[in-house]
Structures are given as C-alpha cells and as structure tokens.
Amino acid sequence: GSRYLRIRTLVNDLAIIARRVGTTPAALALAWVIRQPGVTATVFGAKRPAQVEQNIEAVKLLRREKLWDFMSRVVNSYRG
C-alpha cells in the first residue's frame, strides 16, 4: 500500500544519492547503519571480493560529514 510506495521511493532516492557520491547503495546503507546512534557494533560479511570492496567503501564514507547531514534530512523526510 502507501507505506510500501513511500519506502520504495526512499530506496530509489538512496540509489540516486549513492550514484552521485560514487558508491553503491549497499555501501551507503552499511555506512548509514554504522552511524546510527546506539549502534556499537555491526556484523557484515562477504562472499565475493566485490562485497569486500563495498564494505571498505562504507568505512571510507563515514568521514563525509556533509553526506550524513544530507542523508539525515532525506531519510527523515520519509518518516511518519
């Protein structure tokens, strides 16, 4: 229903953001989870070398403060 459509639109917007910053949606999502208040550890794995690269990219994204300010605004616009 409407909730699915709202989430699907958010996922599409996040894919656009990932493309603009030169990363994958998976790396962006992983970095987003790591940055959440209260998250003290994450467990992520990889079956293929490309997935290891995405995990490394996620860690590199953590330093981009302006990105996270923007991401917070985008994600918060979909809450509710």
Side-chain angles (χ1 to χ4, degrees), residues 28-54:
L28 186 65
L30 181 56
W32 173 257
V33 169
I34 293 168
R35 288 194 46 94
Q36 296 310 296
V39 173
T40 58
T42 57
V43 177
F44 47 93
K47 291 182 180 180
R48 297 182 302 279
Q51 293 170 321
V52 173
E53 293 296 325
Q54 286 180 354

Side-chain angles (χ1 to χ4, degrees), residues 1-72:
S2 64
R3 185 174 183 185
Y4 171 81
L5 293 175
R6 188 173 70 240
I7 292 169
R8 187 71 198 141
T9 303
L10 171 60
V11 169
N12 289 337
D13 287 350
L14 295 177
I16 292 167
I17 293 167
R19 202 168 34 250
R20 286 184 181 170
V21 299
T23 194
T24 64
L28 186 65
L30 181 56
W32 173 257
V33 169
I34 293 168
R35 288 194 46 94
Q36 296 310 296
V39 173
T40 58
T42 57
V43 177
F44 47 93
K47 291 182 180 180
R48 297 182 302 279
Q51 293 170 321
V52 173
E53 293 296 325
Q54 286 180 354
N55 295 345
I56 293 168
E57 181 63 29
V59 173
K60 291 178 184 177
L61 290 172
L62 296 175
R63 295 178 254 160
R64 299 181 69 173
E65 290 301 320
K66 289 182 182 179
L67 170 62
W68 302 115
D69 292 341
F70 178 70
M71 285 287 294
S72 291

